[in-house]
Structures are given as structure tokens and as C-alpha cells.
């Protein structure tokens, strides 16, 4: 050693110390099973038993404190000792089988040392090995007694396991649970799902069979907790089943017929999972039938979401589930209305028939932020009426999406009026300016001048920002429920929803082109083939005062339109006129619209789940004549009675007004009858 330099001495010392620590750890961990065994058969005095129990907890604590945090191999080896030496099994056996309370408690206290570490600040190196240990405890403690109850320590282990898995993330879990095949993952996760479904069904049954107003809070909380955990574990199980089926060369959904047992992907757990799903389905439908108009029904929509995720695995299950749910549309609508604003219910839109259109619109409107009336937090704008478009554009363009979602406060220069009515008036006025045909941003449909679509004519880059501005304004109008007197043409609406445009869709936007294309398609084939039309695959249009010719496809100038390619010609012409020509403007509009939504990615979902007629009602109103009697019937009087002189005078003055729509604007801040 004397001939070695200091660096070599240091390395040797580290190796020697590592070996010493490893041996000490082995000595400690190997002593735990023997301590547990002696505790189970111990007949010593009470003091001696307590001392031995304390010694057991101390040994476990010492071993855990020696866990290496600097080396992957050492950390893995250290934690694996607990399993290889039978420590985990010994501790669980002591808890379940020892007749002596102090030893049983010592076993529980020892196991709890694995359950309450500061997980979030635990080194990742240790964290992934900890998962395996906690999982071992869960599996060993998962032994139901005759009453179907689990040991309380099992629930603590399960809670810690969930925390660890959440911290590690869904994608990384497979590496952390030490499984190599999806089938092994299925075996590991299925017991949790099975146990939670049984518990949830019992809770739902108890809630359904009792007077729900008198159900103990503990049952409500248990149901909510079971649903939350079931959603968590079932996500892993469903993913594992999907991977297993694909690995076996099969596809989803699975056909659970009599021949399933002979399929390559057959596993007992997959078959049992189907049965578990059926049990929960039956219980859910029975509960759904009893829903009433109060807020006491716990987590029913969350249960349905879990069932929906299950059902994707099996052929026709999802369709059958929601077909049955559709029979309880009133109850579904009630549950949606009673839900919290923070609840994620957008998945219901995949099955729109299970809720009525009004409730569907209610869900869509939850994509917008809640209107904030706190003046201090609102985005403030001072607008000159004579420059309303330019100044509004400047104010909204400078505002961040976050500030605009916080609410708006609008004042007109040299005017005293403030408040929500001014905001609604401003939204209406700015929409009228934006969609004024003279402004050239949007064009009205010749056959219905209340409907608009982006002007296909080229614009400079600066004007594109006006389309983002328009998107923000329309979103604000929807958010504040202001009817603005305009509607979108089908060409515009379909592209907002990510849909394709066909010939029939351009009927209102360009009747001349529609008629021309229709004629080409219906014309006698011989006439078309004679080149009587004189058409090639090009489009001519005016741009900045001159005629521009654009090929609809490569070499289009030399491709003559004939009876065989005329459908392609019409399709390319429509795409160029109504898709390519407004693509940039559309993207700016969508971006601006998304700025106001709670999440930017919602904009396509919003338009995909609306019908054009629904958007018409939101933006334009019903268009119906104002019914004075209906207005009177729904008017509330504060400090007055219906027969007071002032009220009678009010309605008398109204009857002499020439423009009832302006009178409506004066009273409820809109020119149009709301739907």
C-alpha cells in the first residue's frame, strides 16, 4: 500500500468501504426474517417482547438508512436484498399471523417505514426500486377475509403505490414494475381493478338502496375514492391489454364470443375483466335510473367515463353502453347540470345522443372561461367611438390571452356609462364593423347576407392579424352570450371544424360557381369531350387589379377538362377557391379564437360538436319577432308590482316605439331575441 499514490489509495478505500457497507446491510436484512419468526412463536415476558419488537423496527430503519443513493447497481442490490432474503414476506406474515399484539404492531410499523418516505424528494434512483417493494407488500397483503375486507395496511400500501406511479408517469411505469411482457402487467394490475370494482359496486348499491339524503358521508367519500383509483389503475390495465393483443397479432376490439378461449390473446384476466365490467355496468344503470334533481349523486359521470374506457376493448360494448344510457337522457342532463365547472366532461361529446342539444351546448360553453366581474382583474379598454375598429384592434392585440380571459372592462371616450351593458354594446358594434362588406375582411353570401365567410382575395400580412382579432372578438361574444347579428356560412363553419368542403357546401357562398360546376358535372359526356367548354385545369381570378392564372395541379394548363376528369376539376377548383385561398386567414382566426378558450386545443372540438344552426342561435339569435306578452311574463320587478303606474306606463311607451329591437337593446343589451 505504501507504494501506491494517493489517488489509488482513495479508490481502494472506497471499494473497501463499499464492501463493508454491503456486508453490514446483508447482516441486517438477513436478521429480520429470523426476528419475525422468533416473534411469532415467542413466549417471553411482556417487557422482553416489547424490547424485541422495538429491536425489529430499529433494524429495518437502520437498513433503510444505509440505502446507497449514488450508484444504480448498489441501490438495486441493496433493495433487492429485502426480497431475496424473504424480509418482505416475513414482515407481512408477522402482521397477519402473530398472536402477540406488540409483534403485530412492530410488523406494521416496520412496513410503514416503506410507505411514508418523502417520495417527491426521494432520488429517482431509489424511487424506482421502492415501487417494487411497495408492490410486493400490496400483493402479499391482498388476501380477502370471508367478509371481503382488506387489512388496513393494504390500503396504505396501495396509496403509496399510486403516489409513486403518478410521480413516475404513465410512460415509465413498465420499466419500474420490472415486467417484460404485457401479460405480466395485466396480472399485476388486474387484482387492483377487480377489488375496486367490487368495492365500488357495494358503495353504489348502498347509496341506491338507501335514502340518499341520509347516506353517511363515509360512503360518499368511499365511492369518490374508489372511482378515482379505479380510473387510475384501469388506465394501466387497458393499456396492457391493448399491448398484449397487438403482440399476439390480433386487433381490437375483442370479440368475446364462445371461441375467445381459443384465440392467441386469451388470458384468464381478460375474460374476468369483461365480467367485472358487466357487474359495474349493471350497477351503474340501476343507479342512473334513480337520479333526481339534487347535487347528492356522487361521481356517476366519472363511473360512466371508466366504463367507456373499459368498453373500447370489447366489440360493440361501447355502442351498447351508450344506447342504454340514452334511455336516461333526463338523468344524464341532470348530472351534467349538477357537475362542477372544473369537471372534465368533454368526453361525453363523443356520444352526443346521450344528452340533449341544450346540455351539449352547455358543455361546449364550459370551454370558455367563467365571466369575471371583478373590475380590478379585468382587461381595461378606453375606446373612441369614431375609431372603434382601429382602437379596439390595438387594445385586443396588445392584450395577452390570460388577461383577456380574466374579463373585459370597456369605456367609450367622453361617456360616463360603464359596466356589463357597455361591454355587450361594444362587442355588438365591433362585430358589425368587422363583418361590414365594405371592410373586405369577410364577404356576405349573396343569397343570405347575414352569413359571412373570409374574403378569398389576397391581403397583406398586416391585415391577417385582423382575422386573429376577429377570432378573439367572436369568442368573446360567445363567452359573454352576446348576439351580434351575423352568422357563418357553411364553407367557413366546416373548415373551422376541420371538415372537407363539397360542391353542395358552396351553394350559398357562390351561387354562380355552384351553378357553373353543377352544369359541368351534369352536361352530356359527348359535349364535354368535344372541348366545347374550352376549360383546362387552371383558375383565373383578379388580384390587386390584374388577372392572375393559377394551375390547379402540376401541368394543369395543358390538361383539358373532359367527362372522365371533370369531377376532379370541380373538386380542385372548389379547393382552390374556398380552402387554399383562405387557409392563412382561417388559421389566424382559429388562433385568435383559441386565445379566449380555457385551453387553446379546444377550438376544433368546439366547432366539431356544434351544428351550424346552433351557432346561428348563439351569434344571431332566433330571428323571431318579439312577443310582448312573453316579455312581460318573464320580466321581474324589483321594488315594483306588475300593476303599478310606472310599470303600466313602461309597457305603454313600448307599444308606441317604432323599433322594438332598439328598445330591446336598451333593456337587455342585445338587438336580437336570445335562444
Amino acid at each position: 500500500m505504501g507504494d501506491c499514490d494517493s489517488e489509488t489509495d482513495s479508490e481502494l478505500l472506497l471499494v473497501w468501504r463499499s464492501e463493508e457497507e454491503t456486508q453490514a446491510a446483508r447482516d441486517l436484512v438477513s436478521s429480520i426474517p429470523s426476528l419475525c419468526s422468533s416473534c411469532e412463536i415467542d413466549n417471553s415476558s411482556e417487557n422482553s417482547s416489547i424490547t424485541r419488537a422495538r429491536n425489529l423496527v430499529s433494524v429495518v430503519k437502520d437498513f433503510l438508512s444505509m440505502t446507497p443513493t449514488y450508484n444504480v447497481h448498489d441501490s438495486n442490490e441493496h433493495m433487492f436484498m429485502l426480497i431475496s432474503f424473504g424480509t418482505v414476506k416475513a414482515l407481512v406474515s408477522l402482521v397477519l399471523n402473530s398472536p402477540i399484539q406488540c409483534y403485530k404492531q412492530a410488523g406494521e410499523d416496520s412496513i410503514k417505514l416503506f410507505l411514508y418516505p418523502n417520495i417527491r424528494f426521494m432520488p429517482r434512483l431509489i424511487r424506482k426500486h421502492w415501487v417494487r417493494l411497495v408492490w410486493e407488500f400490496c400483493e402479499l397483503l391482498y388476501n380477502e377475509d370471508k367478509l371481503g375486507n382488506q387489512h388496513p395496511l393494504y390500503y396504505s400500501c396501495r396509496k403509496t403505490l399510486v403516489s409513486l406511479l403518478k410521480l413516475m408517469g404513465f410512460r415509465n411505469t413498465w420499466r419500474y414494475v420490472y415486467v417484460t411482457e404485457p401479460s405480466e402487467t395485466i396480472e399485476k394490475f388486474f387484482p387492483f381493478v377487480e377489488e375496486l370494482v367490487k368495492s365500488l359496486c357495494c358503495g353504489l348499491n348502498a347509496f341506491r338502496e338507501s335514502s340518499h339524503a341520509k347516506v353517511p358521508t363515509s360512503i360518499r367519500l368511499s365511492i369518490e375514492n374508489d372511482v378515482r383509483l379505479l380510473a387510475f389503475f384501469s388506465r394501466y390495465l387497458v393499456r396492457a391489454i391493448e399491448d398484449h393483443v397487438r403482440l399476439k397479432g390480433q386487433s381490437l376490439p375483442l370479440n368475446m364470443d364462445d371461441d375467445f378461449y381459443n384465440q392467441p390473446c386469451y388470458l384468464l384476466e381478460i375474460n374476468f375483466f369483461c365480467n367485472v365490467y358487466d357487474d359495474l355496468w349493471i350497477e351503474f344503470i340501476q343507479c342512473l335510473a334513480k337520479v333526481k334533481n339534487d347535487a347528492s349523486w356522487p361521481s356517476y359521470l366519472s363511473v360512466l367515463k371508466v366504463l367507456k374506457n373499459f368498453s373500447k376493448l370489447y366489440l360493440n360494448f361501447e355502442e351498447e353502453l351508450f344506447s342504454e344510457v340514452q334511455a336516461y337522457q333526463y338523468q344524464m342532463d341532470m348530472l351534467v347540470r349538477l357537475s362542477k365547472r372544473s369537471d372534465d366532461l368533454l368526453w361525453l361529446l363523443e356520444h352526443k345522443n346521450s344528452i340533449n342539444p341544450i346540455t351539449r351546448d352547455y358543455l361546449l360553453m364550459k370551454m370558455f372561461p367563467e365571466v369575471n366581474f371583478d373590475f380590478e382583474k379585468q382587461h381595461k379598454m378606453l375606446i373612441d367611438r369614431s375609431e372603434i375598429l382601429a382602437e379596439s384592434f390595438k387594445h385586443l392585440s396588445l392584450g395577452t390571452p390570460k388577461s383577456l380571459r380574466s374579463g373585459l372592462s370597456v369605456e367609450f371616450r367622453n361617456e360616463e356609462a360603464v359596466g356589463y351593458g357597455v361591454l355587450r354594446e361594444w362587442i355588438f358594434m365591433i362585430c358589425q364593423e368587422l363583418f361590414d362588406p365594405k371592410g373586405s375582411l369577410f364577404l356576405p353570401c349573396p343569397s343570405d347576407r347575414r352569413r359571412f365567410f373570409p374574403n378569398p382575395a389576397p391581403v397583406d400580412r398586416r391585415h391577417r392579424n385582423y382575422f386573429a382579432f376577429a377570432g378573439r372578438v367572436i369568442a368573446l361574444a360567445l363567452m359573454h352570450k352576446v348576439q351580434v347579428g351575423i352568422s357563418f356560412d357553411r364553407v367557413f363553419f366546416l373548415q373551422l371544424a376541420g371538415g372537407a368542403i363539397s360542391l353542395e357546401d358552396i351553394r350559398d357562398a357562390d351561387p354562380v360557381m355552384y351553378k357553373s360546376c353543377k352544369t359541368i358535372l351534369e352536361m352530356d359526356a359527348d359535349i364535354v369531350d368535344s372541348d366545347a367548354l374550352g376549360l383546362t385545369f387552371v383558375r383565373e381570378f383578379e388580384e390587386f387589379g390584374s388577372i392572375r392564372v393559377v394551375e390547379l395541379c402540376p401541368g394543369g394548363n395543358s390538361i383539358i377538362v373532359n367527362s372522365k376528369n371533370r369531377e376532379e376539376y370541380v373538386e380542385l377548383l372548389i379547393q382552390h377557391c374556398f380552402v387554399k385561398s383562405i387557409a392563412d386567414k382561417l388559421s389566424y382566426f382559429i388562433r385568435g379564437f383559441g386565445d379566449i378558450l380555457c385551453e387553446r386545443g379546444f377550438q376544433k372540438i368546439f366547432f366539431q360538436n356544434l351544428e351550424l344552426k346552433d351557432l346561428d342561435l348563439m351569434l344571431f339569435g332566433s330571428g323571431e319577432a318579439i312577443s310582448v306578452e312573453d316579455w312581460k311574463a318573464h320580466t321581474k320587478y324589483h321594488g315594483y308590482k306588475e300593476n303599478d303606474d310606472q310599470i303600466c306606463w313602461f309597457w305603454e311607451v313600448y307599444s308606441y316605439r317604432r323599433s322594438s329591437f332598439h328598445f330591446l337593446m336598451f333593456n337587455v343589451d342585445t338587438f336580437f331575441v336570445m335562444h
Side-chain angles (χ1 to χ4, degrees):
M1 291 289 290
D3 297 332
C4 298
D5 58 27
S6 59
E7 183 176 347
T8 305
D9 287 343
S10 176
E11 289 177 357
L12 288 173
L13 180 61
L14 282 172
V15 171
W16 176 79
R17 290 179 63 186
S18 175
E19 290 178 352
E20 183 183 58
E21 288 176 355
T22 301
Q23 186 58 48
R26 285 175 180 160
D27 292 342
L28 278 174
V29 77
S30 62
S31 68
I32 296 174
S34 59
L35 278 171
C36 292
S37 299
S38 62
C39 287
E40 288 189 36
I41 60 174
D42 182 56
N43 294 315
S44 305
S45 64
E46 182 177 350
N47 289 337
S48 177
S49 298
I50 293 174
T51 301
R52 184 171 293 185
R54 288 175 177 171
N55 186 38
L56 172 63
V57 177
S58 177
V59 169
V60 174
K61 192 178 295 185
D62 289 344
F63 175 81
L64 292 178
S65 68
M66 297 172 64
T67 305
T69 60
Y70 48 81
N71 182 280
V72 175
H73 178 268
D74 290 349
S75 173
N76 185 23
E77 183 182 24
H78 186 84
M79 303 305 287
F80 186 71
M81 289 180 193
L82 290 164
I83 297 174
S84 61
F85 281 95
T87 304
V88 173
K89 288 184 178 180
L91 289 173
V92 172
S93 177
L94 185 63
V95 170
L96 298 178
N97 302 320
S98 177
I100 302 173
Q101 183 58 37
C102 68
Y103 292 151
K104 187 183 290 286
Q105 187 62 49
E108 288 191 26
D109 292 343
S110 297
I111 293 175
K112 286 178 180 178
L113 292 173
F114 296 88
L115 306 185
Y116 303 109
N118 197 339
I119 294 173
R120 185 166 295 278
F121 297 100
M122 182 187 294
R124 186 172 298 180
L125 198 64
I126 306 301
R127 198 187 297 160
K128 69 177 187 178
H129 301 305
W130 216 275
V131 172
R132 187 180 185 187
L133 290 173
V134 176
W135 208 302
E136 289 285 336
F137 282 122
C138 282
E139 290 181 340
L140 291 170
L141 286 166
Y142 183 70
N143 292 307
E144 294 185 358
D145 61 22
K146 294 180 180 179
L147 297 176
N149 297 317
Q150 301 292 344
H151 191 283
L153 197 56
Y154 165 77
Y155 298 112
S156 299
C157 291
R158 188 182 66 184
K159 182 179 179 180
T160 300
L161 179 63
V162 170
S163 298
L164 285 165
L165 293 177
K166 282 183 177 179
L167 201 58
M168 292 169 182
F170 183 68
R171 293 182 179 179
N172 296 322
T173 298
W174 318 120
R175 293 189 290 116
Y176 293 138
V177 298
Y178 293 86
V179 293
T180 57
E181 296 291 336
S183 58
E184 296 178 54
T185 307
I186 294 171
E187 292 174 9
K188 280 187 169 292
F189 278 98
F190 178 74
F192 293 113
V193 172
E194 182 182 37
E195 173 241 332
L196 286 165
V197 168
K198 288 180 180 178
S199 175
L200 180 57
C201 285
C202 289
L204 291 174
N205 181 265
F207 192 87
R208 174 170 54 84
E209 295 296 332
S210 63
S211 172
H212 60 273
K214 299 179 180 179
V215 173
T217 303
S218 59
I219 292 182
R220 299 177 190 273
L221 294 177
S222 175
I223 291 174
E224 292 174 4
N225 185 59
D226 285 345
V227 174
R228 190 162 49 248
L229 289 174
L230 180 59
F232 177 80
F233 282 112
S234 63
R235 183 187 181 196
Y236 289 93
L237 181 58
V238 168
R239 168 68 179 276
I241 292 175
E242 290 172 346
D243 290 346
H244 171 72
V245 170
R246 294 190 186 100
L247 190 64
K248 295 299 181 180
Q250 293 183 259
S251 59
L252 292 168
L254 295 170
N255 187 357
M256 300 300 291
D257 56 18
D258 295 336
D259 191 47
F260 177 65
Y261 298 94
N262 298 319
Q263 294 182 20
C265 69
Y266 172 77
L267 282 177
L268 190 62
E269 287 83 1
I270 296 179
N271 193 55
F272 284 167
F273 187 46
C274 182
N275 297 333
V276 165
Y277 167 85
D278 284 340
D279 293 341
L280 184 57
W281 179 352
I282 293 170
E283 187 60 49
F284 170 76
I285 293 297
Q286 291 176 341
C287 288
L288 186 61
K290 298 192 70 174
V291 169
K292 298 178 182 178
N293 186 15
D294 59 58
S296 62
W297 302 92
S299 306
Y300 279 14
L301 292 177
S302 298
V303 175
L304 180 58
K305 185 178 182 180
V306 171
L307 285 169
K308 175 182 177 295
N309 293 335
F310 285 1
S311 67
K312 291 181 180 296
L313 294 173
Y314 304 107
L315 185 64
N316 298 327
F317 276 30
E318 187 171 10
E319 292 77 10
E320 292 173 6
L321 170 65
F322 281 92
S323 176
E324 195 164 354
V325 167
Q326 190 175 350
Y328 301 95
Q329 194 173 86
Y330 169 80
Q331 288 85 349
M332 286 293 296
D333 295 336
M334 196 64 62
L335 289 172
V336 172
R337 295 285 180 168
L338 294 172
S339 65
K340 299 176 183 177
R341 184 174 179 84
S342 58
D343 292 344
D344 173 23
L345 299 179
L346 295 183
W347 53 272
L348 279 172
L349 296 173
E350 296 178 30
H351 297 274
K352 292 182 286 187
N353 292 335
S354 62
I355 53 178
N356 68 39
I358 295 176
T359 303
R360 180 202 60 204
D361 292 351
Y362 171 80
L363 279 178
L364 292 173
M365 292 308 296
K366 287 177 70 174
M367 295 183 183
F368 293 92
E370 198 166 8
V371 175
N372 181 14
F373 294 101
D374 187 345
F375 179 78
E376 295 300 323
K377 296 181 180 180
Q378 292 175 341
H379 181 78
K380 299 170 181 61
M381 300 192 299
L382 181 62
I383 305 295
D384 189 330
R385 282 185 184 269
S386 63
E387 298 290 336
I388 187 171
L389 183 59
E391 291 198 0
S392 297
F393 173 75
K394 179 181 177 181
H395 278 287
L396 278 193
S397 298
L398 292 175
T400 64
K402 183 178 180 180
S403 68
L404 297 178
R405 294 188 200 111
S406 299
L408 289 177
S409 173
V410 178
E411 293 183 46
F412 288 109
R413 199 180 304 276
N414 300 322
E415 296 183 21
E416 294 183 2
V418 294
Y420 198 52
V422 178
L423 170 63
R424 293 172 66 87
E425 181 189 5
W426 170 80
I427 291 175
F428 174 81
M429 292 176 64
I430 201 65
C431 282
Q432 293 296 306
E433 289 284 332
L434 273 172
F435 289 86
D436 186 345
K438 297 177 183 178
S440 74
L441 291 173
F442 296 89
L443 296 180
C445 295
S447 59
D448 185 354
R449 298 190 67 81
R450 69 172 186 164
R451 295 194 178 279
F452 292 84
F453 60 94
N455 189 345
V459 295
D460 59 40
R461 185 174 297 275
R462 182 174 60 87
H463 279 85
R464 291 177 185 174
N465 291 322
Y466 269 91
F467 287 95
F469 169 64
R472 286 186 169 190
V473 170
I474 290 296
L476 287 169
L478 293 170
M479 173 180 167
H480 292 277
K481 297 180 174 61
V482 180
Q483 277 74 41
V484 293
I486 63 100
S487 298
F488 291 170
D489 176 65
R490 188 167 184 79
V491 166
F492 188 19
F493 174 76
L494 285 176
Q495 292 185 76
L496 289 172
I501 305 300
S502 67
L503 176 59
E504 291 302 317
D505 296 323
I506 72 167
R507 180 196 293 264
D508 293 330
D510 195 333
V512 174
M513 178 179 285
Y514 172 79
K515 185 177 181 180
S516 175
C517 290
K518 198 80 169 172
T519 300
I520 293 172
L521 294 175
E522 295 174 352
M523 189 175 289
D524 183 84
D526 292 336
I527 297 177
V528 177
D529 290 337
S530 68
D531 196 20
L533 297 175
L535 294 174
T536 58
F537 276 63
V538 298
R539 180 196 171 207
E540 295 183 2
F541 58 95
E542 185 178 342
E543 180 177 310
F544 301 121
S546 60
I547 300 299
R548 184 182 174 192
V549 179
V550 176
E551 291 185 329
L552 299 177
C553 63
N557 195 41
S558 59
I559 302 175
I560 298 173
V561 176
N562 56 44
S563 60
K564 294 182 179 179
N565 63 20
R566 58 183 170 181
E567 290 185 3
E568 181 185 2
Y569 167 76
V570 168
E571 173 66 22
L572 290 174
L573 184 62
I574 291 172
Q575 291 299 309
H576 193 276
C577 290
F578 296 100
V579 179
K580 291 182 179 179
S581 60
I582 68 169
D584 285 348
K585 302 165 189 177
L586 189 75
S587 66
Y588 273 77
F589 183 93
I590 291 173
R591 186 185 70 188
F593 190 91
D595 286 342
I596 306 301
L597 297 177
C598 295
E599 292 187 26
R600 183 180 291 276
F602 282 168
Q603 56 263 44
K604 184 175 286 189
I605 300 174
F606 178 82
F607 289 108
Q608 283 176 340
N609 287 281
L610 272 180
E611 298 291 338
L612 181 54
K613 61 182 180 180
D614 300 321
L615 188 62
D616 289 347
L617 288 173
M618 292 178 181
L619 289 177
F620 192 84
S622 68
E624 299 174 356
I626 299 172
S627 169
V628 180
E629 296 304 319
D630 191 44
W631 192 350
K632 282 184 178 181
H634 291 86
T635 299
K636 294 181 180 180
Y637 303 102
H638 298 281
Y640 291 92
K641 296 179 181 178
E642 186 176 355
N643 297 324
D644 287 346
D645 289 342
Q646 293 87 344
I647 301 302
C648 293
W649 295 337
F650 175 87
W651 293 116
E652 185 178 352
V653 169
Y654 170 75
S655 65
Y656 288 107
R657 297 287 300 184
R658 286 188 176 183
S659 176
S660 57
F661 287 99
H662 282 85
F663 201 60
L664 184 68
M665 179 66 185
F666 174 79
N667 282 275
V668 294
D669 305 312
T670 180
F671 282 108
F672 304 95
V673 180
M674 301 179 189
H675 74 290

